[in-house]
Amino acid sequence: MNKTRPVGGPSLRPLLAMEALFMVGFSSVVPFLAAIAQDRYAFDASAVGLLIGARVAAQQGLFLLGGVLADRMGARLMVALGCLMRAAGLAAIALAAHPGVFVAGVIVVGMAAALFSPALEGLVGAADARWRRDSGRRGPAPFAALAMAGEAGAVTAACLAAPHMPGNAGVVALVAAGIFLAVGIGSLFLLPSSPIREPKGPAPEGTDVQPELTHSERHTPLVPVVLAGSVFLALYSQLFSLIPLGLAERGADAGLMGLVVVVWSLSTLALQWPLSRVAERAGRRRAVVAGLVLGMAGCLAAALGMAVIPDAALAAAVVPATVLLGASTMLGSVAARSLAASGGSARWRSTRLAAVPTAGGAAALLLSALTGAVARDHGLTAAWLIAAALPLVALTATAAVRVRGRARARGSEARRVLAEAKAAA
């Protein structure tokens, strides 16, 4: 049996290759948008902030719609359309003679991800569901492998593109557009033409249903999964808002932000596989809880570092916080996405998966606004403590939802037993 092939879908390897290429094309241009805007059009800091915010809003705000479209129309069409749209956006960035065209290209780049990312994740979710039905698992879980493939692509892009930015941004953006165009064309041959449907009935002969496919996990309530999953993106965003504020406040070298990116990527490549194995042994729900705890620890490490570490050794605060928040995402975000993928009907898998980053985008926006205000009025240590409180809130809220759900289930069972007793009498 092919253990990487979901029913009606492609094997996992082409999906991982697509994700790596997506990140090569993305990371060779998008992280440098601020530098391009300042170099080419003399955007000031506020205009750059609006530009980056518009891209994120266009991407995260439309994720749920992209998930619904992928479930209704199939992943192949959505991936092809999304790749074509991103290629057009990157071409506009490369060739724009007017800042308005440049801004439009940036927004189109964001909107494109809302089409192809939920579709690709839906296919990986199908592979994940099938992988959990098979005995003798080997290697990382499909969502963990997806994260590793993406980081490998991001590191490759950073090494190749950084020396050419922003001076040769036009050429780099055209190359990135060509990558997305090629992947879009390839998707027409590699991906299924219709939405994937899981087979009904027991697992095929010779396979074992694993503990993760118990009835309770197949029907895990979506709200606590989305709530917990959104926290990881919100905490990740703090690395790129609070750390730059800390560097500017202390007059430190802005190049330390490059260290954050490198440490994050290398940590993912080194730790994602072993942490995935730990998560599978412990169970996905426990992995989400562990991820939230690690996220809290990362924020507390940053708060402590900002409070006691001198300016000359600021990296001693940045690196531990980055590693802990990275491990938090590797454990919790991957497990949450896997639970969202398997926690209901296969018909709406992409929609459920898209709900996680959509909620994460909203949580990141709200948390960043709050921590920014706190940092301005009370300092960075207080801001990181506020960020550390978010995982605690999520743990409390998800526990309350689960307790309420169990109480309802017990009440329904009691009513059923009572009705049967009355009928027998």
Side-chain angles (χ1 to χ4, degrees):
M1 183 190 306
N2 185 349
K3 296 179 181 179
T4 64
R5 184 183 299 275
V7 175
S11 70
L12 184 60
R13 292 186 184 90
L15 304 180
L16 300 181
M18 284 185 180
E19 176 68 9
L21 289 172
F22 285 160
M23 289 305 296
V24 168
F26 174 89
S27 297
S28 61
V29 176
V30 173
F32 304 99
L33 287 176
I36 297 170
Q38 291 173 320
D39 178 71
R40 191 187 294 177
Y41 306 108
F43 278 24
D44 60 20
S46 61
V48 168
L50 288 173
L51 176 72
I52 302 304
R55 185 199 68 80
V56 174
Q59 179 171 320
Q60 302 298 136
L62 295 176
F63 247 78
L64 199 57
L65 175 61
V68 172
L69 291 174
D71 284 327
R72 295 294 297 271
M73 304 174 67
R76 184 170 74 178
L77 177 60
M78 290 300 103
V79 170
L81 286 177
C83 287
L84 181 61
M85 183 181 292
R86 178 155 282 185
L90 289 167
I93 290 172
L95 303 174
H98 189 276
V101 177
F102 174 78
V103 171
V106 170
I107 293 174
V108 168
V109 164
M111 293 173 62
L115 295 182
F116 62 72
S117 286
L120 184 71
E121 288 204 359
L123 292 173
V124 175
D128 187 85
R130 181 69 183 201
W131 180 78
R132 293 175 188 284
R133 291 173 60 93
D134 293 338
S135 60
R137 303 176 194 169
R138 299 188 185 280
F143 279 107
L146 186 71
M148 294 171 66
E151 290 301 330
V155 170
T156 301
C159 293
L160 295 177
H164 305 287
M165 287 293 188
N168 294 313
V171 174
V172 175
L174 285 176
V175 172
I179 290 173
F180 277 98
L181 185 60
V183 175
I185 294 172
S187 70
L188 297 175
F189 300 95
L190 295 173
L191 302 184
S193 59
S194 59
I196 291 177
R197 302 289 182 255
E198 299 297 330
K200 296 181 178 180
E205 184 178 353
T207 64
D208 297 322
V209 177
Q210 300 295 325
E212 288 81 2
L213 284 180
T214 62
H215 180 274
S216 63
E217 285 212 351
R218 282 199 304 270
H219 299 278
T220 299
L222 184 60
V223 171
V225 172
V226 171
L227 178 62
S230 68
V231 170
F232 300 109
L233 180 57
L235 295 182
Y236 171 77
S237 70
Q238 300 312 295
L239 288 174
F240 298 93
S241 59
L242 292 183
I243 288 181
L245 286 175
L247 297 178
E249 181 182 276
R250 297 183 174 209
D253 183 4
L256 272 178
M257 279 311 300
L259 178 63
V260 170
V261 175
V262 170
V263 168
W264 182 280
S265 295
L266 293 180
S267 296
T268 300
L269 293 174
L271 299 177
Q272 182 67 81
W273 188 336
L275 285 177
S276 172
R277 294 173 68 86
V278 170
E280 293 304 321
R281 290 193 183 97
R284 290 174 289 171
R285 288 176 175 172
R286 291 190 182 95
V288 171
V289 172
L292 291 172
V293 172
L294 282 174
M296 191 185 313
C299 293
L300 291 175
L304 180 63
M306 291 296 173
V308 304
I309 293 178
D311 296 355
L314 197 58
V318 169
V319 171
T322 302
V323 172
L324 285 169
L325 288 172
S328 166
T329 298
M330 288 177 240
L331 270 177
S333 181
V334 168
R337 289 155 72 194
S338 179
L339 284 170
S342 61
S345 167
R347 179 181 181 185
W348 298 109
R349 179 180 287 120
S350 293
T351 303
R352 293 195 305 274
L353 283 164
V356 177
T358 298
L365 177 62
L366 293 173
L367 182 62
S368 295
L370 177 59
T371 55
V374 171
R376 179 192 62 212
D377 297 333
H378 304 286
L380 284 163
T381 297
W384 277 111
L385 290 175
I386 292 294
L390 183 61
L392 183 60
V393 172
L395 285 168
T396 304
T398 53
V401 170
R402 289 186 63 187
V403 168
R404 186 178 180 185
R406 288 173 179 172
R408 285 183 175 179
R410 286 194 296 268
S412 299
E413 180 65 17
R415 287 191 293 270
R416 184 187 65 80
V417 171
L418 183 59
E420 290 179 353
K422 288 181 178 179

